[in-house]
DNA sequence: TGTATTATTTAAATTTTGTTTAAAAATGAA
DNA sequence: TTCATTTTTAAACAAAATTTAAATAATACA
């Protein structure tokens, strides 16, 4: 299920689009401004941004998102005239839709972009694991058995896979997966790492897949 | 999390802005005058300065901050008339907001500045080291091995990278990394320098990356 | 050159951080 | 509602990082 960040200050349109896309199977987070952008930044598959917004405008938000992750597709929304005016400013955007629009149109463009940007769809192999990034099936090549994870374990593992090779701080991980502020000293994340290792590591006491970066966080390398 | 120094003598506005920015994920230090400026000088990512202040005025404080580190963005706050009067004195400032203002506006400008001033996020090469400031990965180009640092070592090294080519006093370094007052004669910092050199220098006994400036402190040159 | 000052190195003590286990609380399906 | 499963909390334990302390080395300058 694709995580979509949608920023729109007009309540009516916002609710309408959010309901429509949700009904079509997207996981939509709707914000009315870019103020809390940072906490979503590293955990989205696609962004839909209105251009005219109070505070940070859609251009700035779009550039910020691209900077954080080049591979996040962005759709800009705006009145026709505004788009024509500022076409050059849209260079970072991957598509744009002019208001007013039909929900089918937006949904079609969103789906097309997700297809185009889909992270190497297919099989990802890490050590003895074979991960199908589309169906989310994880297989242990040694035992030839499937590994089933619980909800949180899935979210956590996916977060690692989306940020392969990066050192992720505990803050990033907790905020990315739980969507809440991380409290210094909280051991919840560590316990989940432990249980995840129990399932995916050959020897959970000597983990090779989820590396501990002491004092900072964790990392999963390709 | 961006460290913001905010100087404002009006208690009510000060508390309001501090709470708002803190709620948006900034680490705000609010002072009512520039008296203790020196101790914060080298450990801030951004400054928000009211112009009208008892003692040192906002102009002088701003110039002092820029002198210490050219790369610290500064936002000035003041009544509209005052800004128009003294526009020429604002040449050092990077943005200004006139009172009264909406918190969204201040937050948006602050975020925009932080983005604009963000140190080139990417690959930095120093001698045989290759440092990716985004993924936090340091590679020794000679051995092609990754160098893993401990938490303090990371903070310390990052402090050097943020102040490349500057001679940093032991006070600055200690206060910047530990956030506490440096005690004359304390060897803690030196021991950490030693362990950091052990990991990043070709020959830790003849360091070329972290230079010792006897009687003052240390320096890392590009 | 000799002495005082400052920095480096090493090792041990202390503190912090991460792991593991178990039990309690929350969630969700039958 | 009950029962099984998942998630969170808590605490004991282990490992590693940080700090302290002391011995050694290098440098400045009288």
């Amino acid at each position: 299920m694709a995580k979509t960040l949608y920023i729109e200050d007009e309540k009516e349109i916002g609710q309408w689009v959010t309901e429509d896309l949700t009904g079509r199977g997207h996981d939509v987070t709707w914000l009315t401004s870019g103020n809390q952008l940072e906490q979503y930044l590293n955990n989205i598959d696609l962004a839909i941004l209105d251009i005219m917004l109070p505070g940070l405008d859609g251009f700035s938000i779009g550039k910020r998102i691209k900077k954080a992750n080049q591979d996040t597709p962005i759709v800009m929304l705006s009145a026709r005239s505004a788009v024509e005016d500022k076409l050059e400013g849209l260079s970072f955007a991957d598509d744009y839709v002019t208001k007013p629009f039909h929900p089918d149109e937006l949904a079609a463009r969103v789906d097309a972009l997700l297809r185009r940007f889909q992270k190497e769809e297919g099989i990802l192999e890490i050590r003895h694991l074979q991960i199908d990034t589309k169906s989310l099936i994880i297989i242990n090549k040694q035992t030839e058995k499937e590994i089933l994870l619980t909800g949180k374990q899935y979210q956590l593992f996916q977060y690692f896979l989306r940020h392969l090779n990066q050192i992720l701080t505990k803050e990033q991980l907790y905020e990315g997966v739980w969507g809440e502020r991380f409290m210094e000293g909280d051991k919840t994340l560590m316990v989940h790492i432990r249980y995840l290792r129990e399932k995916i590591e050959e020897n959970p006491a000597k983990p090779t897949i989820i590396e501990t970066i002491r004092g900072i966080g964790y990392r999963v390398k390709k």
Side-chain angles (χ1 to χ4, degrees), chain A residues 126-129 157 160 197 200-202 206-212 219-221:
Chain A
I126 299 177
R127 252 50 45 91
H128 61 288
L129 300 179
F157 194 46
F160 278 117
R197 277 172 169 165
I200 68 175
E201 297 281 357
E202 276 191 273
K206 290 214 181 321
T208 66
I209 294 175
I210 302 176
E211 216 182 323
T212 300
R219 169 171 65 175
V220 171
K221 273 196 298 212

PDB file of all heavy atoms in Angstrom, chain A residues 126-129 157 160 197 200-202 206-212 219-221:
ATOM      1  N   ILE A 126      19.472 -10.210   0.385  1.00  0.00           N
ATOM      2  CA  ILE A 126      20.389  -9.753   1.413  1.00  0.00           C
ATOM      3  C   ILE A 126      20.791 -10.968   2.235  1.00  0.00           C
ATOM      4  O   ILE A 126      19.935 -11.596   2.858  1.00  0.00           O
ATOM      5  CB  ILE A 126      19.716  -8.718   2.341  1.00  0.00           C
ATOM      6  CG1 ILE A 126      19.283  -7.490   1.541  1.00  0.00           C
ATOM      7  CG2 ILE A 126      20.668  -8.310   3.458  1.00  0.00           C
ATOM      8  CD1 ILE A 126      18.549  -6.450   2.362  1.00  0.00           C
ATOM      9  N   ARG A 127      22.098 -11.266   2.174  1.00  0.00           N
ATOM     10  CA  ARG A 127      22.583 -12.462   2.857  1.00  0.00           C
ATOM     11  C   ARG A 127      21.700 -13.685   2.523  1.00  0.00           C
ATOM     12  O   ARG A 127      21.447 -13.915   1.340  1.00  0.00           O
ATOM     13  CB  ARG A 127      22.616 -12.232   4.375  1.00  0.00           C
ATOM     14  CG  ARG A 127      23.960 -12.081   5.047  1.00  0.00           C
ATOM     15  CD  ARG A 127      24.906 -11.074   4.409  1.00  0.00           C
ATOM     16  NE  ARG A 127      24.402  -9.787   4.007  1.00  0.00           N
ATOM     17  CZ  ARG A 127      24.357  -8.675   4.717  1.00  0.00           C
ATOM     18  NH1 ARG A 127      24.799  -8.703   5.929  1.00  0.00           N
ATOM     19  NH2 ARG A 127      23.928  -7.544   4.239  1.00  0.00           N
ATOM     20  N   HIS A 128      21.150 -14.344   3.495  1.00  0.00           N
ATOM     21  CA  HIS A 128      20.375 -15.554   3.207  1.00  0.00           C
ATOM     22  C   HIS A 128      18.890 -15.255   2.991  1.00  0.00           C
ATOM     23  O   HIS A 128      18.076 -16.167   2.894  1.00  0.00           O
ATOM     24  CB  HIS A 128      20.537 -16.554   4.355  1.00  0.00           C
ATOM     25  CG  HIS A 128      20.040 -16.008   5.660  1.00  0.00           C
ATOM     26  ND1 HIS A 128      20.711 -15.021   6.345  1.00  0.00           N
ATOM     27  CD2 HIS A 128      18.940 -16.276   6.381  1.00  0.00           C
ATOM     28  CE1 HIS A 128      20.056 -14.717   7.439  1.00  0.00           C
ATOM     29  NE2 HIS A 128      18.971 -15.466   7.478  1.00  0.00           N
ATOM     30  N   LEU A 129      18.557 -13.958   2.887  1.00  0.00           N
ATOM     31  CA  LEU A 129      17.149 -13.608   2.711  1.00  0.00           C
ATOM     32  C   LEU A 129      16.835 -13.264   1.261  1.00  0.00           C
ATOM     33  O   LEU A 129      17.656 -12.660   0.572  1.00  0.00           O
ATOM     34  CB  LEU A 129      16.786 -12.392   3.570  1.00  0.00           C
ATOM     35  CG  LEU A 129      16.971 -12.513   5.072  1.00  0.00           C
ATOM     36  CD1 LEU A 129      16.585 -11.198   5.734  1.00  0.00           C
ATOM     37  CD2 LEU A 129      16.158 -13.658   5.633  1.00  0.00           C
ATOM     38  N   PHE A 157      11.171  -3.347   9.290  1.00  0.00           N
ATOM     39  CA  PHE A 157      12.036  -3.932   8.268  1.00  0.00           C
ATOM     40  C   PHE A 157      11.914  -3.155   6.961  1.00  0.00           C
ATOM     41  O   PHE A 157      12.900  -2.888   6.289  1.00  0.00           O
ATOM     42  CB  PHE A 157      11.675  -5.408   8.080  1.00  0.00           C
ATOM     43  CG  PHE A 157      12.709  -6.176   7.309  1.00  0.00           C
ATOM     44  CD1 PHE A 157      14.056  -6.060   7.596  1.00  0.00           C
ATOM     45  CD2 PHE A 157      12.322  -7.036   6.296  1.00  0.00           C
ATOM     46  CE1 PHE A 157      15.011  -6.773   6.885  1.00  0.00           C
ATOM     47  CE2 PHE A 157      13.260  -7.758   5.583  1.00  0.00           C
ATOM     48  CZ  PHE A 157      14.610  -7.621   5.875  1.00  0.00           C
ATOM     49  N   PHE A 160      13.924  -0.067   7.006  1.00  0.00           N
ATOM     50  CA  PHE A 160      15.332  -0.366   6.712  1.00  0.00           C
ATOM     51  C   PHE A 160      15.542  -0.561   5.216  1.00  0.00           C
ATOM     52  O   PHE A 160      16.500  -0.059   4.635  1.00  0.00           O
ATOM     53  CB  PHE A 160      15.789  -1.617   7.453  1.00  0.00           C
ATOM     54  CG  PHE A 160      16.179  -1.377   8.884  1.00  0.00           C
ATOM     55  CD1 PHE A 160      15.487  -1.980   9.921  1.00  0.00           C
ATOM     56  CD2 PHE A 160      17.250  -0.557   9.195  1.00  0.00           C
ATOM     57  CE1 PHE A 160      15.856  -1.762  11.241  1.00  0.00           C
ATOM     58  CE2 PHE A 160      17.621  -0.329  10.510  1.00  0.00           C
ATOM     59  CZ  PHE A 160      16.923  -0.940  11.539  1.00  0.00           C
ATOM     60  N   ARG A 197      15.355  -9.487  14.718  1.00  0.00           N
ATOM     61  CA  ARG A 197      16.580 -10.259  14.519  1.00  0.00           C
ATOM     62  C   ARG A 197      16.321 -11.740  14.776  1.00  0.00           C
ATOM     63  O   ARG A 197      16.843 -12.605  14.063  1.00  0.00           O
ATOM     64  CB  ARG A 197      17.664  -9.769  15.483  1.00  0.00           C
ATOM     65  CG  ARG A 197      18.404  -8.540  14.992  1.00  0.00           C
ATOM     66  CD  ARG A 197      19.309  -7.990  16.067  1.00  0.00           C
ATOM     67  NE  ARG A 197      20.229  -6.973  15.567  1.00  0.00           N
ATOM     68  CZ  ARG A 197      20.916  -6.143  16.350  1.00  0.00           C
ATOM     69  NH1 ARG A 197      20.777  -6.211  17.674  1.00  0.00           N
ATOM     70  NH2 ARG A 197      21.731  -5.253  15.836  1.00  0.00           N
ATOM     71  N   ILE A 200      14.927 -12.969  11.458  1.00  0.00           N
ATOM     72  CA  ILE A 200      15.641 -12.878  10.174  1.00  0.00           C
ATOM     73  C   ILE A 200      17.127 -13.211  10.232  1.00  0.00           C
ATOM     74  O   ILE A 200      17.718 -13.494   9.190  1.00  0.00           O
ATOM     75  CB  ILE A 200      15.460 -11.484   9.517  1.00  0.00           C
ATOM     76  CG1 ILE A 200      16.166 -10.392  10.312  1.00  0.00           C
ATOM     77  CG2 ILE A 200      13.988 -11.154   9.317  1.00  0.00           C
ATOM     78  CD1 ILE A 200      16.114  -9.024   9.643  1.00  0.00           C
ATOM     79  N   GLU A 201      17.735 -13.178  11.396  1.00  0.00           N
ATOM     80  CA  GLU A 201      19.169 -13.439  11.460  1.00  0.00           C
ATOM     81  C   GLU A 201      19.449 -14.936  11.587  1.00  0.00           C
ATOM     82  O   GLU A 201      18.677 -15.674  12.204  1.00  0.00           O
ATOM     83  CB  GLU A 201      19.786 -12.724  12.679  1.00  0.00           C
ATOM     84  CG  GLU A 201      19.698 -11.206  12.642  1.00  0.00           C
ATOM     85  CD  GLU A 201      20.746 -10.554  11.741  1.00  0.00           C
ATOM     86  OE1 GLU A 201      21.574 -11.284  11.183  1.00  0.00           O
ATOM     87  OE2 GLU A 201      20.705  -9.310  11.599  1.00  0.00           O
ATOM     88  N   GLU A 202      20.596 -15.321  11.031  1.00  0.00           N
ATOM     89  CA  GLU A 202      21.020 -16.715  11.198  1.00  0.00           C
ATOM     90  C   GLU A 202      21.310 -16.987  12.663  1.00  0.00           C
ATOM     91  O   GLU A 202      20.888 -17.973  13.228  1.00  0.00           O
ATOM     92  CB  GLU A 202      22.290 -16.962  10.384  1.00  0.00           C
ATOM     93  CG  GLU A 202      22.022 -17.280   8.947  1.00  0.00           C
ATOM     94  CD  GLU A 202      23.291 -17.780   8.279  1.00  0.00           C
ATOM     95  OE1 GLU A 202      24.066 -16.942   7.792  1.00  0.00           O
ATOM     96  OE2 GLU A 202      23.497 -19.015   8.261  1.00  0.00           O
ATOM     97  N   LYS A 206      24.639 -12.790  17.028  1.00  0.00           N
ATOM     98  CA  LYS A 206      25.703 -12.175  16.226  1.00  0.00           C
ATOM     99  C   LYS A 206      25.089 -11.698  14.913  1.00  0.00           C
ATOM    100  O   LYS A 206      25.310 -12.298  13.853  1.00  0.00           O
ATOM    101  CB  LYS A 206      26.814 -13.200  15.929  1.00  0.00           C
ATOM    102  CG  LYS A 206      27.650 -13.596  17.131  1.00  0.00           C
ATOM    103  CD  LYS A 206      29.088 -13.860  16.684  1.00  0.00           C
ATOM    104  CE  LYS A 206      29.999 -14.299  17.824  1.00  0.00           C
ATOM    105  NZ  LYS A 206      29.760 -13.600  19.094  1.00  0.00           N
ATOM    106  N   PRO A 207      24.314 -10.644  14.991  1.00  0.00           N
ATOM    107  CA  PRO A 207      23.556 -10.211  13.813  1.00  0.00           C
ATOM    108  C   PRO A 207      24.442  -9.716  12.683  1.00  0.00           C
ATOM    109  O   PRO A 207      25.441  -9.034  12.910  1.00  0.00           O
ATOM    110  CB  PRO A 207      22.679  -9.077  14.363  1.00  0.00           C
ATOM    111  CG  PRO A 207      23.340  -8.597  15.594  1.00  0.00           C
ATOM    112  CD  PRO A 207      24.066  -9.785  16.158  1.00  0.00           C
ATOM    113  N   THR A 208      24.094 -10.102  11.459  1.00  0.00           N
ATOM    114  CA  THR A 208      24.839  -9.629  10.287  1.00  0.00           C
ATOM    115  C   THR A 208      23.947  -8.772   9.399  1.00  0.00           C
ATOM    116  O   THR A 208      24.446  -8.057   8.543  1.00  0.00           O
ATOM    117  CB  THR A 208      25.358 -10.810   9.442  1.00  0.00           C
ATOM    118  OG1 THR A 208      24.232 -11.508   8.891  1.00  0.00           O
ATOM    119  CG2 THR A 208      26.188 -11.762  10.260  1.00  0.00           C
ATOM    120  N   ILE A 209      22.668  -8.873   9.573  1.00  0.00           N
ATOM    121  CA  ILE A 209      21.774  -8.097   8.708  1.00  0.00           C
ATOM    122  C   ILE A 209      21.471  -6.734   9.329  1.00  0.00           C
ATOM    123  O   ILE A 209      21.727  -5.705   8.722  1.00  0.00           O
ATOM    124  CB  ILE A 209      20.489  -8.890   8.399  1.00  0.00           C
ATOM    125  CG1 ILE A 209      20.872 -10.119   7.562  1.00  0.00           C
ATOM    126  CG2 ILE A 209      19.489  -8.015   7.655  1.00  0.00           C
ATOM    127  CD1 ILE A 209      19.761 -11.062   7.277  1.00  0.00           C
ATOM    128  N   ILE A 210      20.958  -6.734  10.534  1.00  0.00           N
ATOM    129  CA  ILE A 210      20.740  -5.452  11.219  1.00  0.00           C
ATOM    130  C   ILE A 210      21.954  -5.182  12.103  1.00  0.00           C
ATOM    131  O   ILE A 210      22.154  -5.821  13.141  1.00  0.00           O
ATOM    132  CB  ILE A 210      19.471  -5.462  12.086  1.00  0.00           C
ATOM    133  CG1 ILE A 210      18.252  -5.792  11.235  1.00  0.00           C
ATOM    134  CG2 ILE A 210      19.286  -4.091  12.750  1.00  0.00           C
ATOM    135  CD1 ILE A 210      16.970  -5.915  12.032  1.00  0.00           C
ATOM    136  N   GLU A 211      22.755  -4.237  11.663  1.00  0.00           N
ATOM    137  CA  GLU A 211      23.985  -3.864  12.340  1.00  0.00           C
ATOM    138  C   GLU A 211      23.660  -2.836  13.429  1.00  0.00           C
ATOM    139  O   GLU A 211      22.839  -1.952  13.211  1.00  0.00           O
ATOM    140  CB  GLU A 211      24.816  -3.171  11.269  1.00  0.00           C
ATOM    141  CG  GLU A 211      26.272  -3.340  11.249  1.00  0.00           C
ATOM    142  CD  GLU A 211      26.838  -2.499  10.088  1.00  0.00           C
ATOM    143  OE1 GLU A 211      26.203  -2.411   9.010  1.00  0.00           O
ATOM    144  OE2 GLU A 211      27.902  -1.929  10.285  1.00  0.00           O
ATOM    145  N   THR A 212      24.312  -2.935  14.567  1.00  0.00           N
ATOM    146  CA  THR A 212      24.151  -1.915  15.607  1.00  0.00           C
ATOM    147  C   THR A 212      25.227  -0.854  15.417  1.00  0.00           C
ATOM    148  O   THR A 212      26.406  -1.177  15.313  1.00  0.00           O
ATOM    149  CB  THR A 212      24.325  -2.534  17.001  1.00  0.00           C
ATOM    150  OG1 THR A 212      23.343  -3.541  17.183  1.00  0.00           O
ATOM    151  CG2 THR A 212      24.175  -1.477  18.087  1.00  0.00           C
ATOM    152  N   ARG A 219      21.668  -0.124  11.101  1.00  0.00           N
ATOM    153  CA  ARG A 219      21.769  -0.072   9.647  1.00  0.00           C
ATOM    154  C   ARG A 219      21.587  -1.453   9.046  1.00  0.00           C
ATOM    155  O   ARG A 219      22.026  -2.459   9.612  1.00  0.00           O
ATOM    156  CB  ARG A 219      23.134   0.473   9.233  1.00  0.00           C
ATOM    157  CG  ARG A 219      23.424   0.309   7.747  1.00  0.00           C
ATOM    158  CD  ARG A 219      24.648   1.039   7.314  1.00  0.00           C
ATOM    159  NE  ARG A 219      25.848   0.484   7.943  1.00  0.00           N
ATOM    160  CZ  ARG A 219      27.076   0.898   7.634  1.00  0.00           C
ATOM    161  NH1 ARG A 219      27.244   1.852   6.741  1.00  0.00           N
ATOM    162  NH2 ARG A 219      28.107   0.374   8.223  1.00  0.00           N
ATOM    163  N   VAL A 220      20.982  -1.501   7.860  1.00  0.00           N
ATOM    164  CA  VAL A 220      20.908  -2.734   7.068  1.00  0.00           C
ATOM    165  C   VAL A 220      21.623  -2.455   5.758  1.00  0.00           C
ATOM    166  O   VAL A 220      21.274  -1.515   5.052  1.00  0.00           O
ATOM    167  CB  VAL A 220      19.444  -3.143   6.779  1.00  0.00           C
ATOM    168  CG1 VAL A 220      19.399  -4.300   5.783  1.00  0.00           C
ATOM    169  CG2 VAL A 220      18.741  -3.534   8.071  1.00  0.00           C
ATOM    170  N   LYS A 221      22.649  -3.257   5.480  1.00  0.00           N
ATOM    171  CA  LYS A 221      23.402  -3.070   4.238  1.00  0.00           C
ATOM    172  C   LYS A 221      22.976  -4.101   3.219  1.00  0.00           C
ATOM    173  O   LYS A 221      22.578  -5.207   3.562  1.00  0.00           O
ATOM    174  CB  LYS A 221      24.911  -3.215   4.507  1.00  0.00           C
ATOM    175  CG  LYS A 221      25.544  -1.916   4.945  1.00  0.00           C
ATOM    176  CD  LYS A 221      27.064  -1.958   4.827  1.00  0.00           C
ATOM    177  CE  LYS A 221      27.683  -3.004   5.711  1.00  0.00           C
ATOM    178  NZ  LYS A 221      29.030  -2.612   6.201  1.00  0.00           N
TER     179      LYS A 221
END
